Amino acid sequence: MNAPDRYARIRAVVRDIPRGRVASYGQVAELAGIARGARQVGYALNRLPPDSDVPWHRVVNAAGRISLPDAGGAAAEQTARLRAEGVRVARRRIDLERYGWRPDLDELLWKPRGLDEAGER
DNA sequence: CTGATGACTATAG
DNA sequence: CCTATAGCCATCA
């Protein structure tokens, strides 16, 4: 698999992370079909153009903490963007139990099909 | 080719 | 919770 392709897949996965939720670098790599590619995800996001529509701020490390450096206001920027969509961030930390993205579960909760009978959660 | 680098991660103390 | 350490892997000088 070539580089451009890998980055495209990574961006595609990140674009799928819903508002108000976060995913880890490793998780994004896995979903993109790139085993042990967590670092590559970071690299790919780092290379995103400033005007990109990719929600890079919804990606944090496995511990649920912001990996961007405080210097340059990068971390602050990510924190602000997350809070803007309802994610609680305290001491550059996010509760994954609450905001972590669970693709399969979210699929059920957000795109419920055949609820004509059950109609509720 | 070689060694350094980093928006990573799991593990141990 | 924190630091240290060791794997990890595409890029880059």
Side-chain angles (χ1 to χ4, degrees), chain A residues 14-25:
Chain A
V14 175
R15 261 191 271 258
D16 279 343
I17 304 173
R19 282 177 59 85
R21 313 230 79 163
V22 298
S24 74
Y25 295 91

Side-chain angles (χ1 to χ4, degrees), chain A residues 1-16 28-34 41 44:
Chain A
M1 186 188 284
N2 52 53
D5 211 32
R6 280 199 309 278
Y7 294 138
R9 297 173 71 102
I10 288 172
R11 287 195 300 272
V13 171
V14 175
R15 261 191 271 258
D16 279 343
V28 170
E30 287 296 315
L31 293 173
I34 306 170
V41 171

Side-chain angles (χ1 to χ4, degrees), chain A residues 7 10 25 28 37-48 59 68:
Chain A
Y7 294 138
I10 288 172
Y25 295 91
V28 170
R39 301 193 93 126
Q40 282 43 248
V41 171
Y43 186 85
L45 296 184
N46 185 47
R47 280 220 53 184
L48 285 176
V59 183
L68 264 56

Side-chain angles (χ1 to χ4, degrees), chain A residues 23-112:
Chain A
S24 74
Y25 295 91
Q27 182 182 3
V28 170
E30 287 296 315
L31 293 173
I34 306 170
R36 303 186 244 34
R39 301 193 93 126
Q40 282 43 248
V41 171
Y43 186 85
L45 296 184
N46 185 47
R47 280 220 53 184
L48 285 176
D51 60 316
S52 175
D53 62 318
V54 176
W56 54 269
H57 59 283
R58 308 214 261 248
V59 183
V60 299
N61 67 31
R65 304 185 102 252
I66 288 178
S67 276
L68 264 56
D70 298 294
E77 167 74 15
Q78 181 168 19
T79 299
R81 288 194 181 210
L82 286 173
R83 284 176 172 159
E85 42 188 70
V87 176
R88 213 156 84 69
V89 186
R91 306 248 207 99
R92 62 190 288 128
R93 186 158 32 71
I94 293 134
D95 183 357
L96 294 182
E97 285 292 312
R98 186 167 164 182
Y99 303 102
W101 180 35
R102 263 90 83 197
D104 44 316
L105 177 57
D106 285 344
E107 183 70 23
L108 292 174
L109 297 176
W110 299 1
K111 298 180 182 177

